[in-house]
Amino acid sequence: MDAIFENTATAFSLKSDSELERAYFLFKMIANEPLVKIGTAMTNFAIKAHLPVEGLIRATVFDHFCGGVNEADCMPVVDKMFEKGVCSVLDYSVEGKDEEDPLDNATEMILKILDFVKEKDAIPFAVFKPTGFGRFALYQKISEGGKLTEKEEAEWQRVINRFDKVCKKAHDLDVSLLIDGEESWMQDAADQLAEDMMRKYNKKKAIVFNTLQTYRWDRLPYLRDLHERAQKDGFKIGIKVVRGAYMEKENERAREKGYPSPICESKAATDENFDATVAYMLENLEDMSIFSGTHNENSCYKLMELMREKGVEKNHKDIWFGQLYGMSDHISFNLAAHGYNVAKYLPFGPVRDVMPYLIRRAEENTSVAGQTSRELSLLKKERKRRKI
C-alpha cells in the first residue's frame, strides 16, 4: 500500500507531454517565493489596468488550476477525469461580494449548477461559500451575538432563504452540496445555518455537507456535540474535513484583538486533529458521510488503513477523498485506480473574476512546506519516465 502514490504513469496519464511541461514550469515558478510575489503584483496591476493578459493567464495558470470559464467549458476536463474514475466538484470560484445583486446572482448560479450536474454521474457534488450568499460582516455580527437592526434582520432572512432554496433543490435533485468553511469569527453563524439545513434535508442521507477546518482545535468537540444533536433529532451529518485556509489571517487577528488563537499550536497538532476527526467519523459511519479534503499523503494512508481494518469497502458511498484540480494528481488518480471514491474540486468562472482564487492558490503553495517540492519531484520523475 505504501507506494501507491509513487505511480506517476497513473498520476499524469491525462497530461500530454506539453501539459506536463507546463505543470513543471508552473510549479518551478511557484516554488520561488519572490517570483510569486512579483507575479501576483504584476497580474493584479495588469487586470486592474485592463491590459490584454487574459490569453496568457488562460494558457498557463488558469488552464492548469481551472476547468473553464463556464460549466459547459468544463465538460471536456470533467469527462476526461471521469474516464479515469475521478469525479468533479464544480466550484464557481468568484469571490464573495457585499451587495445584494451579486449575492442573488451567486445563488442563481448554484441553482443553475445543480440543474446542470443532476444528469451527470461524473459530478456528484456542488459547492458554495457562505459569503457567496450573505455579507461577511452580517455573519460576523451574528457569530459575535450582536443585536441585529430591523434592516439586518430582513437581510439575514434573505440569507437564510438563499441557503434554503439551494439546499432544497439539492435535496430534490439528490445531488450532494458542500458548504465551504471560512474565517472563525464569522463561522458560528454559517455553522448554525448549515446545521439547520442538515436537520431539514439530511433525514435519510447526507445531502448537505458543512466544512470543518481542523487547524482549529475546537472542531472535534464541535463535531461530537453536533453528533449528539443529530442523533436526538434524527438527521445525518455530512462533513468535508480539511486542514484550513486562513491560518495567517486567524493568528494575526487573535494577536491584534488579544484573544487566544483558535489555531492548533503546531502543524503536527493540526495533522493529529485532522486524523482524529476523520477517525471519529469513520467510527460513526452509520450517522455520517465523510468528504476527506486533503493533499496530505499520510492522512490518506491513515484513512485507507482504517477502512481496511474495519472492513469498509473502498467505494463505500459515504467516504470520499477530495483534492484540488491541478494539484496532487498522484493522490487523486492513484486512489481512483485502486477503487476509492475521489472528487477533484474544479474551479471555473471568467478569467478576470477567478484571479483572486488563483493568486491565493499560488501563495498557499508557496507557504505550504513540501507541497510544491513534492509536486516537482513527481513531475521530474514522470518526465524522466517519458524521456522528455
Side-chain angles (χ1 to χ4, degrees), residues 298-367:
N298 285 338
S299 288
C300 293
Y301 281 133
K302 279 184 180 154
L303 176 50
M304 291 152 74
E305 189 57 35
L306 277 175
M307 288 167 73
R308 202 174 56 77
E309 280 170 17
K310 293 190 182 311
V312 176
E313 61 272 26
K314 289 178 176 181
N315 64 345
H316 191 288
K317 65 178 178 41
D318 290 315
I319 304 174
W320 283 81
F321 292 81
Q323 288 79 41
L324 296 165
Y325 182 68
M327 288 164 66
S328 299
D329 286 347
H330 64 295
I331 295 178
S332 312
F333 288 94
N334 282 308
L335 279 173
H338 281 77
Y340 294 92
N341 295 326
V342 184
K344 284 276 209 192
Y345 254 61
L346 192 60
F348 74 96
V351 176
R352 187 169 291 276
D353 295 341
V354 174
M355 278 321 290
Y357 166 86
L358 289 171
I359 285 165
R360 211 171 59 241
R361 274 289 84 80
E363 288 169 348
E364 270 173 25
N365 265 303
T366 309
S367 65

Side-chain angles (χ1 to χ4, degrees), residues 161-225:
N161 294 346
R162 289 183 191 113
F163 265 72
D164 192 65
K165 199 174 178 181
V166 164
C167 293
K168 182 183 188 307
K169 177 139 197 178
H171 172 267
D172 293 348
L173 294 175
D174 199 22
V175 174
S176 296
L177 187 60
L178 303 164
I179 304 173
D180 276 342
E182 301 196 52
E183 289 89 342
S184 63
W185 57 97
M186 62 72 75
Q187 191 62 45
D188 285 358
D191 284 345
Q192 191 51 60
L193 266 182
E195 183 178 330
D196 292 344
M197 297 299 133
M198 284 188 207
R199 191 171 274 106
K200 202 166 170 182
Y201 296 115
N202 286 10
K203 290 286 185 206
K204 292 193 174 70
K205 62 186 266 197
I207 289 286
V208 180
F209 282 65
N210 197 10
T211 296
L212 293 191
Q213 303 195 82
T214 56
Y215 64 2
R216 284 180 59 178
W217 46 262
D218 66 348
R219 294 291 82 186
L220 185 50
Y222 163 80
L223 178 61
R224 289 197 179 105
D225 292 344

